Amino acid sequence: MVTGMRPFRFGINDRLVDDVEQWRDIARRAEGGGFDILHIADHLSDQLLGLAPLVTAAEATTDLRVGTLVLN
């Protein structure tokens, strides 16, 4: 084993949905499926705004890291 290396993490990038409960379910399923990170893209279209879904995903999970790919 190489010393000083961090454990490998798996992430998922998902499109936002219109429904908050559905987004919570996506975050919980990602964490339950072994993913460590959930990224979202913040695009200027009909979807939830970028920061609110991050807070929702963090609130709905215990260890999932969240972040944006683009922040408009």
Side-chain angles (χ1 to χ4, degrees), residues 16 20 23-24 40 48-59 71:
L16 295 176
V20 174
W23 184 244
R24 273 192 190 100
I40 59 171
L48 296 171
L49 297 177
L51 298 178
L54 293 178
V55 172
T56 299
E59 173 269 329
L71 187 59

Side-chain angles (χ1 to χ4, degrees), residues 10 20 27 31 38 46 49 56:
F10 290 92
V20 174
E31 183 178 53
L38 175 62
D46 290 337
L49 297 177
T56 299

Side-chain angles (χ1 to χ4, degrees), residues 11-52:
I12 187 170
N13 177 29
D14 206 339
R15 296 252 338 146
L16 295 176
V17 295
D18 294 332
D19 182 75
V20 174
E21 287 303 320
Q22 185 180 9
W23 184 244
R24 273 192 190 100
D25 184 54
I26 289 169
R28 288 178 181 139
R29 288 177 41 212
E31 183 178 53
F35 289 97
D36 301 296
I37 305 161
L38 175 62
H39 281 132
I40 59 171
D42 180 18
H43 294 289
L44 301 174
S45 63
D46 290 337
Q47 62 186 29
L48 296 171
L49 297 177
L51 298 178

Side-chain angles (χ1 to χ4, degrees), residues 1-8:
M1 178 178 200
V2 178
T3 59
M5 287 186 65
R6 294 181 181 191
F8 194 80

Side-chain angles (χ1 to χ4, degrees), residues 50-67:
L51 298 178
L54 293 178
V55 172
T56 299
E59 173 269 329
T61 59
T62 57
D63 296 317
L64 192 67
R65 294 175 178 228
V66 297

